[in-house]
Amino acid sequence: MHDDAASDAPRQAFDAFGNPVEVTFPPDLHDTHHLRLKALLLSVWVVSSFGTCYFARDIQALMPDWPVAYWMAAQGAVLMFLLIIVVYCVAMDYFERQQARDEARKRPAAHQASLPATDPHA
């Protein structure tokens, strides 16, 4: 089979037992918006987790009476990770709704274009 023939075949996914399951997202879902979002959130995660550990002494010097560096490394990293998950879920929901709206707008236009142009008074 050539690559062209394989790409024209319908896409189907299987679960762990080999049963076919419905594919819920089209394969072109990861466009530039999604990749930029992932890159941004990954960079926030890197800065918040590794940056806090790297600059722990400098952060501690800002607030000497409170163990802010320990708090940010221990509890702040978990809270930041949960915040990143929430932001990702909200953004993906927005992207999917926007994509569904765009597809819904295209359907009536395609339907109108496929109708024959007939004059009812002729």
PDB file of all heavy atoms in Angstrom, residues 12-52:
ATOM      1  N   GLN A  12      -9.338   5.070  12.253  1.00  0.00           N
ATOM      2  CA  GLN A  12     -10.084   4.368  13.270  1.00  0.00           C
ATOM      3  C   GLN A  12      -9.131   4.023  14.407  1.00  0.00           C
ATOM      4  O   GLN A  12      -7.987   3.644  14.174  1.00  0.00           O
ATOM      5  CB  GLN A  12     -10.703   3.103  12.697  1.00  0.00           C
ATOM      6  CG  GLN A  12     -11.718   2.471  13.599  1.00  0.00           C
ATOM      7  CD  GLN A  12     -12.477   1.383  12.891  1.00  0.00           C
ATOM      8  OE1 GLN A  12     -12.078   0.922  11.844  1.00  0.00           O
ATOM      9  NE2 GLN A  12     -13.578   0.962  13.468  1.00  0.00           N
ATOM     10  N   ALA A  13      -9.608   4.161  15.625  1.00  0.00           N
ATOM     11  CA  ALA A  13      -8.799   3.864  16.797  1.00  0.00           C
ATOM     12  C   ALA A  13      -9.338   2.603  17.461  1.00  0.00           C
ATOM     13  O   ALA A  13     -10.504   2.240  17.288  1.00  0.00           O
ATOM     14  CB  ALA A  13      -8.835   5.027  17.771  1.00  0.00           C
ATOM     15  N   PHE A  14      -8.456   1.950  18.215  1.00  0.00           N
ATOM     16  CA  PHE A  14      -8.832   0.713  18.895  1.00  0.00           C
ATOM     17  C   PHE A  14      -8.465   0.826  20.363  1.00  0.00           C
ATOM     18  O   PHE A  14      -7.468   1.448  20.714  1.00  0.00           O
ATOM     19  CB  PHE A  14      -8.121  -0.481  18.258  1.00  0.00           C
ATOM     20  CG  PHE A  14      -8.465  -0.680  16.815  1.00  0.00           C
ATOM     21  CD1 PHE A  14      -7.678  -0.144  15.821  1.00  0.00           C
ATOM     22  CD2 PHE A  14      -9.592  -1.389  16.459  1.00  0.00           C
ATOM     23  CE1 PHE A  14      -8.001  -0.318  14.491  1.00  0.00           C
ATOM     24  CE2 PHE A  14      -9.930  -1.566  15.134  1.00  0.00           C
ATOM     25  CZ  PHE A  14      -9.132  -1.031  14.143  1.00  0.00           C
ATOM     26  N   ASP A  15      -9.271   0.182  21.221  1.00  0.00           N
ATOM     27  CA  ASP A  15      -8.958   0.189  22.642  1.00  0.00           C
ATOM     28  C   ASP A  15      -7.985  -0.947  22.955  1.00  0.00           C
ATOM     29  O   ASP A  15      -7.452  -1.597  22.050  1.00  0.00           O
ATOM     30  CB  ASP A  15     -10.226   0.101  23.486  1.00  0.00           C
ATOM     31  CG  ASP A  15     -10.977  -1.205  23.283  1.00  0.00           C
ATOM     32  OD1 ASP A  15     -10.535  -2.057  22.485  1.00  0.00           O
ATOM     33  OD2 ASP A  15     -12.010  -1.376  23.918  1.00  0.00           O
ATOM     34  N   ALA A  16      -7.720  -1.195  24.227  1.00  0.00           N
ATOM     35  CA  ALA A  16      -6.734  -2.190  24.627  1.00  0.00           C
ATOM     36  C   ALA A  16      -7.135  -3.614  24.235  1.00  0.00           C
ATOM     37  O   ALA A  16      -6.279  -4.480  24.082  1.00  0.00           O
ATOM     38  CB  ALA A  16      -6.518  -2.113  26.133  1.00  0.00           C
ATOM     39  N   PHE A  17      -8.427  -3.868  24.033  1.00  0.00           N
ATOM     40  CA  PHE A  17      -8.895  -5.199  23.673  1.00  0.00           C
ATOM     41  C   PHE A  17      -9.071  -5.377  22.177  1.00  0.00           C
ATOM     42  O   PHE A  17      -9.538  -6.401  21.724  1.00  0.00           O
ATOM     43  CB  PHE A  17     -10.220  -5.493  24.382  1.00  0.00           C
ATOM     44  CG  PHE A  17     -10.101  -5.437  25.877  1.00  0.00           C
ATOM     45  CD1 PHE A  17     -10.646  -4.390  26.578  1.00  0.00           C
ATOM     46  CD2 PHE A  17      -9.416  -6.417  26.569  1.00  0.00           C
ATOM     47  CE1 PHE A  17     -10.533  -4.324  27.950  1.00  0.00           C
ATOM     48  CE2 PHE A  17      -9.296  -6.366  27.937  1.00  0.00           C
ATOM     49  CZ  PHE A  17      -9.849  -5.323  28.631  1.00  0.00           C
ATOM     50  N   GLY A  18      -8.725  -4.363  21.389  1.00  0.00           N
ATOM     51  CA  GLY A  18      -8.841  -4.459  19.942  1.00  0.00           C
ATOM     52  C   GLY A  18     -10.196  -4.067  19.401  1.00  0.00           C
ATOM     53  O   GLY A  18     -10.452  -4.211  18.210  1.00  0.00           O
ATOM     54  N   ASN A  19     -11.080  -3.553  20.251  1.00  0.00           N
ATOM     55  CA  ASN A  19     -12.401  -3.120  19.798  1.00  0.00           C
ATOM     56  C   ASN A  19     -12.301  -1.722  19.203  1.00  0.00           C
ATOM     57  O   ASN A  19     -11.609  -0.856  19.749  1.00  0.00           O
ATOM     58  CB  ASN A  19     -13.385  -3.114  20.969  1.00  0.00           C
ATOM     59  CG  ASN A  19     -13.526  -4.484  21.597  1.00  0.00           C
ATOM     60  OD1 ASN A  19     -13.469  -5.491  20.908  1.00  0.00           O
ATOM     61  ND2 ASN A  19     -13.702  -4.517  22.898  1.00  0.00           N
ATOM     62  N   PRO A  20     -12.990  -1.477  18.094  1.00  0.00           N
ATOM     63  CA  PRO A  20     -12.930  -0.131  17.519  1.00  0.00           C
ATOM     64  C   PRO A  20     -13.647   0.880  18.414  1.00  0.00           C
ATOM     65  O   PRO A  20     -14.682   0.582  18.996  1.00  0.00           O
ATOM     66  CB  PRO A  20     -13.649  -0.270  16.176  1.00  0.00           C
ATOM     67  CG  PRO A  20     -14.423  -1.526  16.263  1.00  0.00           C
ATOM     68  CD  PRO A  20     -13.774  -2.396  17.287  1.00  0.00           C
ATOM     69  N   VAL A  21     -13.068   2.052  18.539  1.00  0.00           N
ATOM     70  CA  VAL A  21     -13.669   3.139  19.309  1.00  0.00           C
ATOM     71  C   VAL A  21     -13.768   4.365  18.422  1.00  0.00           C
ATOM     72  O   VAL A  21     -13.054   4.499  17.434  1.00  0.00           O
ATOM     73  CB  VAL A  21     -12.845   3.468  20.580  1.00  0.00           C
ATOM     74  CG1 VAL A  21     -12.863   2.310  21.545  1.00  0.00           C
ATOM     75  CG2 VAL A  21     -11.431   3.846  20.244  1.00  0.00           C
ATOM     76  N   GLU A  22     -14.659   5.256  18.792  1.00  0.00           N
ATOM     77  CA  GLU A  22     -14.882   6.469  18.008  1.00  0.00           C
ATOM     78  C   GLU A  22     -13.753   7.466  18.251  1.00  0.00           C
ATOM     79  O   GLU A  22     -13.356   7.714  19.383  1.00  0.00           O
ATOM     80  CB  GLU A  22     -16.214   7.097  18.427  1.00  0.00           C
ATOM     81  CG  GLU A  22     -16.559   8.339  17.659  1.00  0.00           C
ATOM     82  CD  GLU A  22     -17.871   8.940  18.113  1.00  0.00           C
ATOM     83  OE1 GLU A  22     -18.660   8.234  18.756  1.00  0.00           O
ATOM     84  OE2 GLU A  22     -18.095  10.118  17.823  1.00  0.00           O
ATOM     85  N   VAL A  23     -13.243   8.024  17.177  1.00  0.00           N
ATOM     86  CA  VAL A  23     -12.217   9.059  17.279  1.00  0.00           C
ATOM     87  C   VAL A  23     -12.953  10.384  17.415  1.00  0.00           C
ATOM     88  O   VAL A  23     -13.726  10.765  16.548  1.00  0.00           O
ATOM     89  CB  VAL A  23     -11.304   9.070  16.036  1.00  0.00           C
ATOM     90  CG1 VAL A  23     -10.290  10.181  16.127  1.00  0.00           C
ATOM     91  CG2 VAL A  23     -10.625   7.721  15.888  1.00  0.00           C
ATOM     92  N   THR A  24     -12.717  11.084  18.539  1.00  0.00           N
ATOM     93  CA  THR A  24     -13.507  12.271  18.813  1.00  0.00           C
ATOM     94  C   THR A  24     -12.906  13.537  18.221  1.00  0.00           C
ATOM     95  O   THR A  24     -13.609  14.500  18.018  1.00  0.00           O
ATOM     96  CB  THR A  24     -13.671  12.464  20.325  1.00  0.00           C
ATOM     97  OG1 THR A  24     -12.385  12.511  20.921  1.00  0.00           O
ATOM     98  CG2 THR A  24     -14.472  11.322  20.924  1.00  0.00           C
ATOM     99  N   PHE A  25     -11.602  13.568  17.972  1.00  0.00           N
ATOM    100  CA  PHE A  25     -10.972  14.776  17.464  1.00  0.00           C
ATOM    101  C   PHE A  25     -10.413  14.522  16.074  1.00  0.00           C
ATOM    102  O   PHE A  25      -9.838  13.468  15.824  1.00  0.00           O
ATOM    103  CB  PHE A  25      -9.826  15.228  18.376  1.00  0.00           C
ATOM    104  CG  PHE A  25     -10.273  15.561  19.760  1.00  0.00           C
ATOM    105  CD1 PHE A  25      -9.896  14.784  20.834  1.00  0.00           C
ATOM    106  CD2 PHE A  25     -11.087  16.653  19.991  1.00  0.00           C
ATOM    107  CE1 PHE A  25     -10.312  15.084  22.104  1.00  0.00           C
ATOM    108  CE2 PHE A  25     -11.506  16.957  21.263  1.00  0.00           C
ATOM    109  CZ  PHE A  25     -11.124  16.180  22.315  1.00  0.00           C
ATOM    110  N   PRO A  26     -10.559  15.470  15.173  1.00  0.00           N
ATOM    111  CA  PRO A  26      -9.948  15.286  13.852  1.00  0.00           C
ATOM    112  C   PRO A  26      -8.430  15.332  13.974  1.00  0.00           C
ATOM    113  O   PRO A  26      -7.891  15.932  14.899  1.00  0.00           O
ATOM    114  CB  PRO A  26     -10.489  16.480  13.051  1.00  0.00           C
ATOM    115  CG  PRO A  26     -10.856  17.485  14.068  1.00  0.00           C
ATOM    116  CD  PRO A  26     -11.276  16.721  15.284  1.00  0.00           C
ATOM    117  N   PRO A  27      -7.726  14.693  13.064  1.00  0.00           N
ATOM    118  CA  PRO A  27      -6.270  14.633  13.187  1.00  0.00           C
ATOM    119  C   PRO A  27      -5.570  15.982  13.029  1.00  0.00           C
ATOM    120  O   PRO A  27      -4.449  16.138  13.446  1.00  0.00           O
ATOM    121  CB  PRO A  27      -5.854  13.675  12.073  1.00  0.00           C
ATOM    122  CG  PRO A  27      -7.015  13.574  11.176  1.00  0.00           C
ATOM    123  CD  PRO A  27      -8.233  13.935  11.964  1.00  0.00           C
ATOM    124  N   ASP A  28      -6.233  16.968  12.460  1.00  0.00           N
ATOM    125  CA  ASP A  28      -5.601  18.275  12.264  1.00  0.00           C
ATOM    126  C   ASP A  28      -5.911  19.239  13.413  1.00  0.00           C
ATOM    127  O   ASP A  28      -5.833  20.442  13.246  1.00  0.00           O
ATOM    128  CB  ASP A  28      -6.047  18.885  10.941  1.00  0.00           C
ATOM    129  CG  ASP A  28      -7.550  19.105  10.875  1.00  0.00           C
ATOM    130  OD1 ASP A  28      -8.281  18.487  11.660  1.00  0.00           O
ATOM    131  OD2 ASP A  28      -7.991  19.891  10.043  1.00  0.00           O
ATOM    132  N   LEU A  29      -6.263  18.713  14.582  1.00  0.00           N
ATOM    133  CA  LEU A  29      -6.643  19.559  15.707  1.00  0.00           C
ATOM    134  C   LEU A  29      -5.463  20.349  16.253  1.00  0.00           C
ATOM    135  O   LEU A  29      -5.625  21.445  16.756  1.00  0.00           O
ATOM    136  CB  LEU A  29      -7.260  18.702  16.820  1.00  0.00           C
ATOM    137  CG  LEU A  29      -7.773  19.447  18.039  1.00  0.00           C
ATOM    138  CD1 LEU A  29      -8.921  20.358  17.645  1.00  0.00           C
ATOM    139  CD2 LEU A  29      -8.222  18.485  19.091  1.00  0.00           C
ATOM    140  N   HIS A  30      -4.269  19.790  16.148  1.00  0.00           N
ATOM    141  CA  HIS A  30      -3.097  20.451  16.727  1.00  0.00           C
ATOM    142  C   HIS A  30      -2.532  21.466  15.735  1.00  0.00           C
ATOM    143  O   HIS A  30      -1.484  21.261  15.154  1.00  0.00           O
ATOM    144  CB  HIS A  30      -2.046  19.422  17.117  1.00  0.00           C
ATOM    145  CG  HIS A  30      -2.523  18.529  18.205  1.00  0.00           C
ATOM    146  ND1 HIS A  30      -2.603  18.939  19.510  1.00  0.00           N
ATOM    147  CD2 HIS A  30      -2.974  17.263  18.193  1.00  0.00           C
ATOM    148  CE1 HIS A  30      -3.067  17.965  20.250  1.00  0.00           C
ATOM    149  NE2 HIS A  30      -3.308  16.938  19.477  1.00  0.00           N
ATOM    150  N   ASP A  31      -3.220  22.544  15.570  1.00  0.00           N
ATOM    151  CA  ASP A  31      -2.714  23.600  14.703  1.00  0.00           C
ATOM    152  C   ASP A  31      -1.861  24.558  15.525  1.00  0.00           C
ATOM    153  O   ASP A  31      -1.479  24.261  16.651  1.00  0.00           O
ATOM    154  CB  ASP A  31      -3.862  24.308  13.981  1.00  0.00           C
ATOM    155  CG  ASP A  31      -4.838  24.940  14.948  1.00  0.00           C
ATOM    156  OD1 ASP A  31      -4.717  24.703  16.156  1.00  0.00           O
ATOM    157  OD2 ASP A  31      -5.720  25.679  14.498  1.00  0.00           O
ATOM    158  N   THR A  32      -1.559  25.699  14.975  1.00  0.00           N
ATOM    159  CA  THR A  32      -0.614  26.608  15.624  1.00  0.00           C
ATOM    160  C   THR A  32      -1.126  27.129  16.956  1.00  0.00           C
ATOM    161  O   THR A  32      -0.329  27.337  17.876  1.00  0.00           O
ATOM    162  CB  THR A  32      -0.296  27.788  14.699  1.00  0.00           C
ATOM    163  OG1 THR A  32      -1.511  28.451  14.351  1.00  0.00           O
ATOM    164  CG2 THR A  32       0.397  27.305  13.448  1.00  0.00           C
ATOM    165  N   HIS A  33      -2.431  27.343  17.094  1.00  0.00           N
ATOM    166  CA  HIS A  33      -2.964  27.834  18.377  1.00  0.00           C
ATOM    167  C   HIS A  33      -2.675  26.839  19.495  1.00  0.00           C
ATOM    168  O   HIS A  33      -2.256  27.224  20.585  1.00  0.00           O
ATOM    169  CB  HIS A  33      -4.467  28.063  18.294  1.00  0.00           C
ATOM    170  CG  HIS A  33      -4.865  29.134  17.346  1.00  0.00           C
ATOM    171  ND1 HIS A  33      -4.578  30.460  17.556  1.00  0.00           N
ATOM    172  CD2 HIS A  33      -5.521  29.070  16.161  1.00  0.00           C
ATOM    173  CE1 HIS A  33      -5.049  31.164  16.551  1.00  0.00           C
ATOM    174  NE2 HIS A  33      -5.626  30.344  15.698  1.00  0.00           N
ATOM    175  N   HIS A  34      -2.920  25.571  19.229  1.00  0.00           N
ATOM    176  CA  HIS A  34      -2.733  24.556  20.250  1.00  0.00           C
ATOM    177  C   HIS A  34      -1.255  24.361  20.572  1.00  0.00           C
ATOM    178  O   HIS A  34      -0.887  24.199  21.738  1.00  0.00           O
ATOM    179  CB  HIS A  34      -3.348  23.239  19.795  1.00  0.00           C
ATOM    180  CG  HIS A  34      -4.790  23.371  19.452  1.00  0.00           C
ATOM    181  ND1 HIS A  34      -5.224  23.511  18.165  1.00  0.00           N
ATOM    182  CD2 HIS A  34      -5.888  23.413  20.236  1.00  0.00           C
ATOM    183  CE1 HIS A  34      -6.538  23.631  18.163  1.00  0.00           C
ATOM    184  NE2 HIS A  34      -6.970  23.574  19.413  1.00  0.00           N
ATOM    185  N   LEU A  35      -0.418  24.383  19.550  1.00  0.00           N
ATOM    186  CA  LEU A  35       1.013  24.201  19.796  1.00  0.00           C
ATOM    187  C   LEU A  35       1.605  25.385  20.550  1.00  0.00           C
ATOM    188  O   LEU A  35       2.454  25.214  21.428  1.00  0.00           O
ATOM    189  CB  LEU A  35       1.741  23.981  18.476  1.00  0.00           C
ATOM    190  CG  LEU A  35       1.406  22.674  17.768  1.00  0.00           C
ATOM    191  CD1 LEU A  35       2.111  22.605  16.419  1.00  0.00           C
ATOM    192  CD2 LEU A  35       1.768  21.487  18.629  1.00  0.00           C
ATOM    193  N   ARG A  36       1.151  26.588  20.243  1.00  0.00           N
ATOM    194  CA  ARG A  36       1.622  27.762  20.984  1.00  0.00           C
ATOM    195  C   ARG A  36       1.168  27.712  22.438  1.00  0.00           C
ATOM    196  O   ARG A  36       1.922  28.073  23.348  1.00  0.00           O
ATOM    197  CB  ARG A  36       1.127  29.039  20.323  1.00  0.00           C
ATOM    198  CG  ARG A  36       1.847  29.368  19.058  1.00  0.00           C
ATOM    199  CD  ARG A  36       1.332  30.644  18.464  1.00  0.00           C
ATOM    200  NE  ARG A  36       1.949  30.881  17.173  1.00  0.00           N
ATOM    201  CZ  ARG A  36       1.488  31.698  16.258  1.00  0.00           C
ATOM    202  NH1 ARG A  36       0.373  32.376  16.493  1.00  0.00           N
ATOM    203  NH2 ARG A  36       2.113  31.848  15.121  1.00  0.00           N
ATOM    204  N   LEU A  37      -0.065  27.279  22.651  1.00  0.00           N
ATOM    205  CA  LEU A  37      -0.569  27.147  24.020  1.00  0.00           C
ATOM    206  C   LEU A  37       0.263  26.140  24.807  1.00  0.00           C
ATOM    207  O   LEU A  37       0.653  26.404  25.946  1.00  0.00           O
ATOM    208  CB  LEU A  37      -2.037  26.725  24.006  1.00  0.00           C
ATOM    209  CG  LEU A  37      -2.653  26.407  25.358  1.00  0.00           C
ATOM    210  CD1 LEU A  37      -2.771  27.682  26.195  1.00  0.00           C
ATOM    211  CD2 LEU A  37      -3.995  25.742  25.187  1.00  0.00           C
ATOM    212  N   LYS A  38       0.542  25.006  24.199  1.00  0.00           N
ATOM    213  CA  LYS A  38       1.350  23.991  24.871  1.00  0.00           C
ATOM    214  C   LYS A  38       2.749  24.512  25.173  1.00  0.00           C
ATOM    215  O   LYS A  38       3.279  24.274  26.264  1.00  0.00           O
ATOM    216  CB  LYS A  38       1.438  22.734  24.018  1.00  0.00           C
ATOM    217  CG  LYS A  38       0.152  21.959  23.962  1.00  0.00           C
ATOM    218  CD  LYS A  38       0.296  20.766  23.057  1.00  0.00           C
ATOM    219  CE  LYS A  38      -1.012  20.049  22.878  1.00  0.00           C
ATOM    220  NZ  LYS A  38      -0.896  18.909  21.974  1.00  0.00           N
ATOM    221  N   ALA A  39       3.357  25.208  24.218  1.00  0.00           N
ATOM    222  CA  ALA A  39       4.703  25.752  24.445  1.00  0.00           C
ATOM    223  C   ALA A  39       4.691  26.787  25.560  1.00  0.00           C
ATOM    224  O   ALA A  39       5.593  26.806  26.409  1.00  0.00           O
ATOM    225  CB  ALA A  39       5.242  26.364  23.151  1.00  0.00           C
ATOM    226  N   LEU A  40       3.675  27.641  25.584  1.00  0.00           N
ATOM    227  CA  LEU A  40       3.583  28.652  26.629  1.00  0.00           C
ATOM    228  C   LEU A  40       3.405  28.010  28.007  1.00  0.00           C
ATOM    229  O   LEU A  40       4.097  28.373  28.964  1.00  0.00           O
ATOM    230  CB  LEU A  40       2.418  29.606  26.344  1.00  0.00           C
ATOM    231  CG  LEU A  40       2.129  30.634  27.421  1.00  0.00           C
ATOM    232  CD1 LEU A  40       3.236  31.680  27.463  1.00  0.00           C
ATOM    233  CD2 LEU A  40       0.783  31.280  27.201  1.00  0.00           C
ATOM    234  N   LEU A  41       2.510  27.044  28.105  1.00  0.00           N
ATOM    235  CA  LEU A  41       2.264  26.405  29.397  1.00  0.00           C
ATOM    236  C   LEU A  41       3.463  25.582  29.859  1.00  0.00           C
ATOM    237  O   LEU A  41       3.765  25.541  31.055  1.00  0.00           O
ATOM    238  CB  LEU A  41       1.004  25.549  29.330  1.00  0.00           C
ATOM    239  CG  LEU A  41      -0.296  26.331  29.158  1.00  0.00           C
ATOM    240  CD1 LEU A  41      -1.471  25.380  29.038  1.00  0.00           C
ATOM    241  CD2 LEU A  41      -0.500  27.307  30.283  1.00  0.00           C
ATOM    242  N   LEU A  42       4.158  24.948  28.933  1.00  0.00           N
ATOM    243  CA  LEU A  42       5.363  24.212  29.318  1.00  0.00           C
ATOM    244  C   LEU A  42       6.459  25.160  29.797  1.00  0.00           C
ATOM    245  O   LEU A  42       7.179  24.854  30.747  1.00  0.00           O
ATOM    246  CB  LEU A  42       5.865  23.371  28.151  1.00  0.00           C
ATOM    247  CG  LEU A  42       5.150  22.042  27.955  1.00  0.00           C
ATOM    248  CD1 LEU A  42       5.640  21.367  26.677  1.00  0.00           C
ATOM    249  CD2 LEU A  42       5.359  21.135  29.133  1.00  0.00           C
ATOM    250  N   SER A  43       6.578  26.311  29.159  1.00  0.00           N
ATOM    251  CA  SER A  43       7.589  27.268  29.614  1.00  0.00           C
ATOM    252  C   SER A  43       7.225  27.846  30.985  1.00  0.00           C
ATOM    253  O   SER A  43       8.107  28.057  31.821  1.00  0.00           O
ATOM    254  CB  SER A  43       7.786  28.378  28.581  1.00  0.00           C
ATOM    255  OG  SER A  43       6.594  29.094  28.403  1.00  0.00           O
ATOM    256  N   VAL A  44       5.941  28.072  31.253  1.00  0.00           N
ATOM    257  CA  VAL A  44       5.517  28.525  32.577  1.00  0.00           C
ATOM    258  C   VAL A  44       5.839  27.458  33.614  1.00  0.00           C
ATOM    259  O   VAL A  44       6.317  27.759  34.716  1.00  0.00           O
ATOM    260  CB  VAL A  44       4.007  28.868  32.581  1.00  0.00           C
ATOM    261  CG1 VAL A  44       3.475  29.019  33.987  1.00  0.00           C
ATOM    262  CG2 VAL A  44       3.754  30.121  31.771  1.00  0.00           C
ATOM    263  N   TRP A  45       5.611  26.189  33.264  1.00  0.00           N
ATOM    264  CA  TRP A  45       5.918  25.104  34.180  1.00  0.00           C
ATOM    265  C   TRP A  45       7.419  25.030  34.477  1.00  0.00           C
ATOM    266  O   TRP A  45       7.817  24.877  35.630  1.00  0.00           O
ATOM    267  CB  TRP A  45       5.433  23.785  33.594  1.00  0.00           C
ATOM    268  CG  TRP A  45       5.871  22.599  34.380  1.00  0.00           C
ATOM    269  CD1 TRP A  45       5.410  22.209  35.598  1.00  0.00           C
ATOM    270  CD2 TRP A  45       6.877  21.668  34.018  1.00  0.00           C
ATOM    271  NE1 TRP A  45       6.065  21.081  36.006  1.00  0.00           N
ATOM    272  CE2 TRP A  45       6.977  20.719  35.047  1.00  0.00           C
ATOM    273  CE3 TRP A  45       7.695  21.536  32.901  1.00  0.00           C
ATOM    274  CZ2 TRP A  45       7.862  19.665  35.002  1.00  0.00           C
ATOM    275  CZ3 TRP A  45       8.571  20.485  32.857  1.00  0.00           C
ATOM    276  CH2 TRP A  45       8.660  19.574  33.901  1.00  0.00           C
ATOM    277  N   VAL A  46       8.249  25.171  33.451  1.00  0.00           N
ATOM    278  CA  VAL A  46       9.701  25.111  33.645  1.00  0.00           C
ATOM    279  C   VAL A  46      10.169  26.262  34.525  1.00  0.00           C
ATOM    280  O   VAL A  46      10.943  26.072  35.469  1.00  0.00           O
ATOM    281  CB  VAL A  46      10.428  25.119  32.285  1.00  0.00           C
ATOM    282  CG1 VAL A  46      11.907  25.400  32.445  1.00  0.00           C
ATOM    283  CG2 VAL A  46      10.214  23.803  31.575  1.00  0.00           C
ATOM    284  N   VAL A  47       9.689  27.470  34.241  1.00  0.00           N
ATOM    285  CA  VAL A  47      10.108  28.632  35.026  1.00  0.00           C
ATOM    286  C   VAL A  47       9.635  28.508  36.468  1.00  0.00           C
ATOM    287  O   VAL A  47      10.387  28.795  37.406  1.00  0.00           O
ATOM    288  CB  VAL A  47       9.588  29.934  34.373  1.00  0.00           C
ATOM    289  CG1 VAL A  47       9.753  31.113  35.296  1.00  0.00           C
ATOM    290  CG2 VAL A  47      10.308  30.181  33.061  1.00  0.00           C
ATOM    291  N   SER A  48       8.402  28.071  36.652  1.00  0.00           N
ATOM    292  CA  SER A  48       7.879  28.015  38.022  1.00  0.00           C
ATOM    293  C   SER A  48       8.510  26.900  38.847  1.00  0.00           C
ATOM    294  O   SER A  48       8.738  27.071  40.040  1.00  0.00           O
ATOM    295  CB  SER A  48       6.365  27.862  38.000  1.00  0.00           C
ATOM    296  OG  SER A  48       6.015  26.611  37.462  1.00  0.00           O
ATOM    297  N   SER A  49       8.814  25.770  38.242  1.00  0.00           N
ATOM    298  CA  SER A  49       9.367  24.669  39.039  1.00  0.00           C
ATOM    299  C   SER A  49      10.889  24.753  39.161  1.00  0.00           C
ATOM    300  O   SER A  49      11.421  24.729  40.268  1.00  0.00           O
ATOM    301  CB  SER A  49       8.946  23.324  38.451  1.00  0.00           C
ATOM    302  OG  SER A  49       9.430  23.199  37.136  1.00  0.00           O
ATOM    303  N   PHE A  50      11.583  24.888  38.061  1.00  0.00           N
ATOM    304  CA  PHE A  50      13.043  24.914  38.128  1.00  0.00           C
ATOM    305  C   PHE A  50      13.575  26.290  38.522  1.00  0.00           C
ATOM    306  O   PHE A  50      14.596  26.381  39.197  1.00  0.00           O
ATOM    307  CB  PHE A  50      13.643  24.473  36.794  1.00  0.00           C
ATOM    308  CG  PHE A  50      13.312  23.057  36.457  1.00  0.00           C
ATOM    309  CD1 PHE A  50      12.521  22.761  35.360  1.00  0.00           C
ATOM    310  CD2 PHE A  50      13.764  22.009  37.240  1.00  0.00           C
ATOM    311  CE1 PHE A  50      12.211  21.461  35.047  1.00  0.00           C
ATOM    312  CE2 PHE A  50      13.454  20.698  36.929  1.00  0.00           C
ATOM    313  CZ  PHE A  50      12.673  20.421  35.827  1.00  0.00           C
ATOM    314  N   GLY A  51      12.906  27.326  38.111  1.00  0.00           N
ATOM    315  CA  GLY A  51      13.342  28.673  38.481  1.00  0.00           C
ATOM    316  C   GLY A  51      13.254  28.918  39.970  1.00  0.00           C
ATOM    317  O   GLY A  51      14.110  29.577  40.562  1.00  0.00           O
ATOM    318  N   THR A  52      12.215  28.389  40.592  1.00  0.00           N
ATOM    319  CA  THR A  52      12.062  28.542  42.043  1.00  0.00           C
ATOM    320  C   THR A  52      13.192  27.846  42.784  1.00  0.00           C
ATOM    321  O   THR A  52      13.754  28.400  43.730  1.00  0.00           O
ATOM    322  CB  THR A  52      10.708  27.962  42.489  1.00  0.00           C
ATOM    323  OG1 THR A  52       9.673  28.620  41.785  1.00  0.00           O
ATOM    324  CG2 THR A  52      10.500  28.144  43.970  1.00  0.00           C
TER     325      THR A  52
END
